[in-house]
Short mmCIF file of all heavy atoms in Angstrom, two decimals:
data_model
loop_
_atom_site.label_atom_id
_atom_site.label_comp_id
_atom_site.label_asym_id
_atom_site.label_seq_id
_atom_site.Cartn_x
_atom_site.Cartn_y
_atom_site.Cartn_z
N HIS T 15 -22.12 -20.63 -74.22
CA HIS T 15 -21.65 -19.29 -74.52
C HIS T 15 -20.41 -18.95 -73.72
O HIS T 15 -20.00 -19.67 -72.85
CB HIS T 15 -22.78 -18.28 -74.30
CG HIS T 15 -23.36 -18.28 -72.93
ND1 HIS T 15 -23.29 -17.20 -72.09
CD2 HIS T 15 -24.02 -19.24 -72.24
CE1 HIS T 15 -23.90 -17.49 -70.96
NE2 HIS T 15 -24.37 -18.72 -71.02
N ARG T 17 -18.68 -17.12 -71.29
CA ARG T 17 -18.06 -17.26 -69.97
C ARG T 17 -18.14 -18.65 -69.39
O ARG T 17 -17.12 -19.21 -68.98
CB ARG T 17 -18.64 -16.25 -68.99
CG ARG T 17 -17.87 -16.28 -67.72
CD ARG T 17 -18.36 -15.25 -66.78
NE ARG T 17 -17.67 -15.38 -65.52
CZ ARG T 17 -18.26 -15.35 -64.34
NH1 ARG T 17 -19.56 -15.24 -64.27
NH2 ARG T 17 -17.56 -15.44 -63.23
N GLY T 20 -15.69 -20.80 -71.03
CA GLY T 20 -14.34 -20.54 -70.53
C GLY T 20 -14.09 -21.24 -69.21
O GLY T 20 -13.01 -21.81 -68.99
N LYS T 46 -10.44 -26.63 -76.47
CA LYS T 46 -10.21 -25.46 -77.32
C LYS T 46 -11.43 -24.54 -77.23
O LYS T 46 -12.45 -24.78 -77.87
CB LYS T 46 -10.00 -25.91 -78.78
CG LYS T 46 -8.80 -26.84 -78.96
CD LYS T 46 -7.50 -26.04 -78.89
CE LYS T 46 -6.28 -26.95 -78.84
NZ LYS T 46 -5.98 -27.53 -80.15
N LEU T 47 -11.29 -23.45 -76.51
CA LEU T 47 -12.41 -22.55 -76.24
C LEU T 47 -13.08 -22.04 -77.51
O LEU T 47 -14.30 -22.09 -77.66
CB LEU T 47 -11.92 -21.37 -75.40
CG LEU T 47 -12.95 -20.28 -75.11
CD1 LEU T 47 -14.13 -20.85 -74.35
CD2 LEU T 47 -12.33 -19.15 -74.32
N MET T 48 -12.28 -21.54 -78.43
CA MET T 48 -12.84 -20.96 -79.65
C MET T 48 -13.62 -22.00 -80.45
O MET T 48 -14.72 -21.74 -80.93
CB MET T 48 -11.74 -20.36 -80.53
CG MET T 48 -10.98 -19.23 -79.88
SD MET T 48 -12.03 -17.84 -79.42
CE MET T 48 -10.87 -16.50 -79.55
N LYS T 49 -13.01 -23.19 -80.56
CA LYS T 49 -13.67 -24.25 -81.33
C LYS T 49 -14.97 -24.65 -80.65
O LYS T 49 -16.00 -24.86 -81.30
CB LYS T 49 -12.76 -25.49 -81.44
CG LYS T 49 -11.60 -25.32 -82.37
CD LYS T 49 -11.99 -25.69 -83.79
CE LYS T 49 -11.07 -25.24 -84.90
NZ LYS T 49 -9.73 -24.85 -84.61
N MET T 51 -16.89 -22.84 -78.69
CA MET T 51 -17.90 -21.80 -78.91
C MET T 51 -18.39 -21.84 -80.34
O MET T 51 -19.56 -21.59 -80.62
CB MET T 51 -17.33 -20.42 -78.58
CG MET T 51 -17.24 -20.22 -77.08
SD MET T 51 -16.48 -18.70 -76.49
CE MET T 51 -16.71 -17.52 -77.74
N GLY T 54 -21.65 -23.82 -81.88
CA GLY T 54 -23.04 -23.34 -81.90
C GLY T 54 -24.00 -24.24 -81.16
O GLY T 54 -25.10 -24.52 -81.61
N LYS T 56 -26.78 -25.13 -78.70
CA LYS T 56 -27.84 -24.29 -78.17
C LYS T 56 -28.64 -24.98 -77.07
O LYS T 56 -28.49 -26.18 -76.85
CB LYS T 56 -28.81 -23.92 -79.30
CG LYS T 56 -28.20 -23.19 -80.45
CD LYS T 56 -29.27 -22.37 -81.18
CE LYS T 56 -28.75 -21.53 -82.27
NZ LYS T 56 -28.40 -22.16 -83.50
N GLU Y 67 -19.45 -8.17 -60.45
CA GLU Y 67 -18.98 -9.44 -60.99
C GLU Y 67 -19.48 -9.76 -62.39
O GLU Y 67 -18.72 -10.09 -63.28
CB GLU Y 67 -19.43 -10.55 -60.03
CG GLU Y 67 -19.17 -11.96 -60.49
CD GLU Y 67 -17.71 -12.34 -60.51
OE1 GLU Y 67 -17.03 -12.03 -59.51
OE2 GLU Y 67 -17.24 -12.89 -61.51
N ALA Y 71 -17.05 -10.06 -65.76
CA ALA Y 71 -16.80 -11.39 -66.32
C ALA Y 71 -16.26 -11.36 -67.74
O ALA Y 71 -15.46 -12.22 -68.12
CB ALA Y 71 -18.08 -12.21 -66.28
N VAL Y 75 -13.35 -13.66 -69.71
CA VAL Y 75 -13.53 -14.38 -70.97
C VAL Y 75 -12.48 -13.95 -71.98
O VAL Y 75 -11.89 -14.77 -72.68
CB VAL Y 75 -14.93 -14.11 -71.57
CG1 VAL Y 75 -15.05 -14.73 -72.94
CG2 VAL Y 75 -15.98 -14.65 -70.65
N MET Y 78 -9.39 -15.69 -71.31
CA MET Y 78 -9.45 -17.10 -71.72
C MET Y 78 -9.30 -17.23 -73.23
O MET Y 78 -8.64 -18.14 -73.73
CB MET Y 78 -10.80 -17.70 -71.31
CG MET Y 78 -10.97 -17.86 -69.83
SD MET Y 78 -12.68 -18.33 -69.48
CE MET Y 78 -12.68 -18.37 -67.70
N ASP Y 82 -6.33 -19.24 -75.77
CA ASP Y 82 -6.69 -20.36 -76.64
C ASP Y 82 -5.51 -20.77 -77.52
O ASP Y 82 -4.95 -19.97 -78.26
CB ASP Y 82 -7.91 -19.96 -77.50
CG ASP Y 82 -8.40 -21.12 -78.32
OD1 ASP Y 82 -8.92 -22.08 -77.74
OD2 ASP Y 82 -8.28 -21.06 -79.55
N ASP Y 84 -5.35 -22.72 -80.23
CA ASP Y 84 -5.56 -22.62 -81.67
C ASP Y 84 -5.30 -21.22 -82.18
O ASP Y 84 -4.68 -21.04 -83.24
CB ASP Y 84 -7.01 -23.02 -82.00
CG ASP Y 84 -7.21 -24.53 -81.94
OD1 ASP Y 84 -6.19 -25.25 -81.83
OD2 ASP Y 84 -8.36 -24.97 -81.99
N MET Y 118 -21.96 -17.31 -87.78
CA MET Y 118 -22.88 -18.24 -87.13
C MET Y 118 -24.28 -17.66 -87.08
O MET Y 118 -24.47 -16.45 -87.00
CB MET Y 118 -22.37 -18.58 -85.73
CG MET Y 118 -21.13 -19.46 -85.79
SD MET Y 118 -20.36 -19.67 -84.19
CE MET Y 118 -21.54 -20.72 -83.40
N TYR Y 122 -26.17 -14.25 -80.31
CA TYR Y 122 -25.21 -14.18 -79.21
C TYR Y 122 -23.79 -14.42 -79.71
O TYR Y 122 -22.87 -13.70 -79.35
CB TYR Y 122 -25.58 -15.21 -78.13
CG TYR Y 122 -24.64 -15.14 -76.96
CD1 TYR Y 122 -24.88 -14.28 -75.91
CD2 TYR Y 122 -23.47 -15.91 -76.93
CE1 TYR Y 122 -24.00 -14.17 -74.85
CE2 TYR Y 122 -22.59 -15.81 -75.88
CZ TYR Y 122 -22.85 -14.94 -74.85
OH TYR Y 122 -21.97 -14.84 -73.82
N MET Y 123 -23.61 -15.42 -80.56
CA MET Y 123 -22.27 -15.71 -81.07
C MET Y 123 -21.78 -14.60 -81.99
O MET Y 123 -20.60 -14.28 -82.02
CB MET Y 123 -22.25 -17.05 -81.81
CG MET Y 123 -22.41 -18.27 -80.91
SD MET Y 123 -21.36 -18.23 -79.43
CE MET Y 123 -19.74 -18.22 -80.17
#
Side-chain angles (χ1 to χ4, degrees):
Chain T
H15 57 117
R17 188 177 176 226
K46 300 284 171 75
L47 176 60
M48 298 300 209
K49 286 273 164 18
M51 284 176 26
K56 301 204 175 76
Chain Y
E67 173 69 46
V75 174
M78 291 171 183
D82 185 68
D84 284 350
M118 289 171 72
Y122 182 88
M123 289 314 297

